[in-house]
């Protein structure tokens, strides 16, 4: 009878944070059309952002390689836990935000040499000058075209920064070859 199973199913749902749509857990449910999809909860995203903020404080004074190595540990663990999430857009937004944080960190590290660093990275003289002499702060400038061109996404990827939104789309497909036993059907020889 369904009534006999109702209590057991509820206990399972309450015990498993991945299943329960009613409680605030690391994974939350998102209504999509007629069904539900798994999504990373806002609370978990805020916790990750706090951790990234702590690791990428602009006055830390570590090299970018050290910062990314520290970030990589946290991000890979977080990604492994939340890889069941079906809604990809919050993860893409987090990737953008983390890269912008790193651009901001770079800009703050460069300090007064920002103009020279931009020119070394192939930014034209006028754009580099306007960016270096801007009255805006490091966070605002980290979203500028000059820093996006000087420090593109592939720069961070080459340093080892993992992407939270990237997935290994491993599909289990039948092999392209057919395994056959010698003798074929009915025991006849090859």
């Amino acid at each position: 009878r369904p009534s006999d199973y109702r209590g057991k199913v509820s206990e399972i749902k309450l015990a498993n944070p991945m299943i329960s749509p009613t409680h605030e857990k690391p994974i939350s449910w998102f209504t999509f059309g007629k069904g539900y999809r798994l999504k990373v909860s806002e609370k978990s995203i805020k916790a990750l952002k706090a951790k990234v903020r702590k690791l990428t404080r602009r006055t830390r004074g570590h090299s970018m390689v050290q910062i990314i190595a520290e970030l990589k540990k946290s991000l890979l663990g977080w990604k492994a836990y939340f890889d069941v999430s079906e809604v990809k857009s919050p993860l893409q937004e987090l990737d953008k935000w983390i890269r912008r944080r790193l651009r901001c960190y770079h800009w703050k590290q460069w300090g007064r040499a920002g103009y020279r660093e931009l020119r070394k990275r192939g930014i034209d003289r006028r754009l580099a000058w306007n960016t270096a002499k801007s009255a805006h702060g490091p966070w605002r400038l980290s979203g500028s075209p000059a820093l996006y061109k000087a420090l593109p996404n592939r720069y961070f990827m080459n340093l080892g920064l993992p992407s939270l939104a990237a997935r290994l789309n491993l599909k289990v497909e039948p092999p392209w070859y057919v395994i056959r036993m010698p003798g074929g059907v009915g025991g006849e020889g090859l």
Side-chain angles (χ1 to χ4, degrees):
R1 292 183 314 185
S3 61
D4 292 340
Y5 296 107
R6 189 170 294 148
K8 292 178 185 177
V9 171
S10 296
E11 289 171 15
I12 292 170
K13 282 185 178 181
L14 290 174
N16 189 347
M18 302 298 180
I19 296 175
S20 177
T22 58
H23 300 299
E24 181 62 30
K25 299 291 184 183
I27 298 284
S28 62
W29 294 86
F30 173 71
T31 307
F32 182 74
K34 293 182 180 180
Y36 290 102
R37 293 175 70 190
L38 290 173
K39 173 182 149 181
V40 179
S41 71
E42 291 298 320
K43 187 176 178 182
S44 299
I45 290 174
K46 284 181 183 177
L48 178 68
K49 281 188 172 187
K51 175 89 171 171
V52 171
R53 278 188 192 102
K54 185 178 175 187
L55 292 174
T56 59
R57 286 190 319 262
R58 293 183 307 219
T59 55
R60 256 184 106 197
H62 294 297
S63 71
M64 187 56 62
V65 175
Q66 288 175 316
I67 296 291
I68 288 181
E70 292 173 10
L71 268 176
K72 190 174 185 176
K73 291 177 192 173
S74 298
L75 294 179
L76 286 177
W78 200 86
K79 182 179 178 174
Y81 186 80
F82 290 108
D83 205 33
V84 298
S85 173
E86 298 170 324
V87 182
K88 219 173 156 185
S89 56
L91 302 178
Q92 291 170 335
E93 292 300 318
L94 269 173
D95 278 341
K96 288 181 196 175
W97 182 81
I98 290 169
R99 286 190 301 265
R100 186 169 177 185
R101 277 296 286 185
L102 293 173
R103 285 185 187 101
C104 182
Y105 187 84
H106 252 306
W107 184 252
K108 187 69 174 175
Q109 261 192 341
W110 291 342
R112 294 176 57 174
Y115 173 78
R116 285 190 301 268
E117 292 292 337
L118 289 174
R119 290 291 293 147
K120 270 200 285 190
R121 287 168 170 73
I123 305 303
D124 68 274
R125 181 177 292 160
R126 184 181 177 105
L127 184 58
W129 182 259
N130 287 340
T131 304
K133 295 302 176 186
S134 174
H136 297 299
W139 178 250
R140 175 89 179 257
L141 289 175
S142 66
S144 71
L147 280 172
Y148 267 96
K149 289 177 187 173
L151 303 169
N153 296 349
R154 72 176 175 276
Y155 168 77
F156 296 112
M157 191 176 69
N158 290 340
L159 287 178
L161 182 70
S163 172
L164 296 174
R167 298 237 172 122
L168 293 175
N169 293 326
L170 299 175
K171 294 181 180 177
V172 179
E173 295 182 14
W176 56 270
Y177 56 87
V178 178
I179 300 173
R180 300 192 66 169
M181 296 299 292
V185 179
E188 298 170 7
L190 291 176

